[in-house]
Amino acid sequence: FSAGDEPDGSAKFFATAFRNEVLKDAVMRLLNERDGLILGVCNGFQALIKLGLVPFGEIREQEETSPTLTFNTINRHISKMIYTKVISDKSPWLAKTRPGETYVIPASHGEGRFVAPEGIIEKLFENGQVATRYADSTGRITMDSEYNVNGSFMAIEGITSPDGRCFGRMGHPERIGRGVAVNICGEQDMKIFEAGVEYFR
């Protein structure tokens, strides 16, 4: 949101900044030499996907066939609670969850629709890189716009790098705390930061 209402504004800003050779080198050393983790939520996911850190695990230029995030199919911002189903626990960020579990978390974005060529999506599923998908309250994966709020291909909500250490998603698992969404039924705590901390212990 720091880049205003320009389409891809914040993602373009972050991607440009992190393609600076000093920052790019620092990020790649974090991953390759220090066994680091990277998490991108909402605008952060947009930045990671524009950089190539998801799904490729490295900073690279985008190609015509690269996955991206674009405008919601309703052509406006959405802000609501969503159901997200864990598909793969390949990522250390999801170590406190199990595949098949469904969580209810906030979503708030105007450009969250995941799109990619069919062949790339197939590879993401084969590699276990599709981490989370939009679902209904029963955990059923769905393209229904009531639940797949942005119209993402294959109801994909979050993806990872090949080794799982970079994780990008549109939903906000960090928006949790005492007095937050107390009137919402369903499990909200994915313990995502707890899992990240324990990875280094």
Side-chain angles (χ1 to χ4, degrees), residues 13 40 49 78 81 112 123 131 137 139 149 151 154 157 183 185-186:
F13 174 79
I49 206 166
I78 61 97
M81 300 298 285
K123 288 181 180 178
S137 59
V149 292
M154 296 298 290
E157 189 258 327
N183 61 330
C185 295

Side-chain angles (χ1 to χ4, degrees), residues 7-109:
D8 291 335
S10 56
K12 287 177 182 175
F13 174 79
F14 286 117
T16 299
F18 278 84
R19 283 200 173 91
N20 172 283
E21 285 302 317
V22 174
L23 288 177
K24 178 180 177 180
D25 181 64
V27 169
M28 295 315 299
R29 281 191 287 109
L30 170 71
L31 292 173
N32 297 331
E33 299 174 19
R34 297 169 54 199
D35 195 29
L37 299 178
I38 296 177
L39 174 67
V41 173
C42 197
N43 290 50
F45 184 16
Q46 293 170 352
L48 293 186
I49 206 166
K50 297 294 185 190
L51 284 167
L53 287 167
V54 293
F56 304 112
E58 63 182 11
I59 295 177
R60 58 159 71 175
E61 293 297 326
Q62 278 206 310
E63 300 175 357
E64 191 173 317
T65 58
S66 296
T68 193
L69 294 162
T70 189
F71 295 104
N72 302 341
T73 51
I74 61 172
N75 289 315
R76 60 180 170 81
H77 188 276
I78 61 97
S79 183
K80 64 180 293 184
M81 300 298 285
I82 61 165
Y83 294 95
T84 181
K85 186 171 187 174
V86 178
I87 304 302
S88 168
D89 58 0
K90 183 174 196 172
S91 175
W93 293 107
L94 294 173
K96 296 289 184 178
T97 69
R98 293 291 176 266
E101 292 179 344
T102 301
Y103 294 83
V104 56
I105 61 176
S108 182
H109 56 263

Side-chain angles (χ1 to χ4, degrees), residues 179-198:
V180 177
V182 294
N183 61 330
I184 301 297
C185 295
E187 180 58 57
Q188 299 179 40
D189 191 1
M190 300 185 79
K191 297 181 172 60
I192 199 162
F193 295 115
E194 183 179 333
V197 170
E198 288 194 8

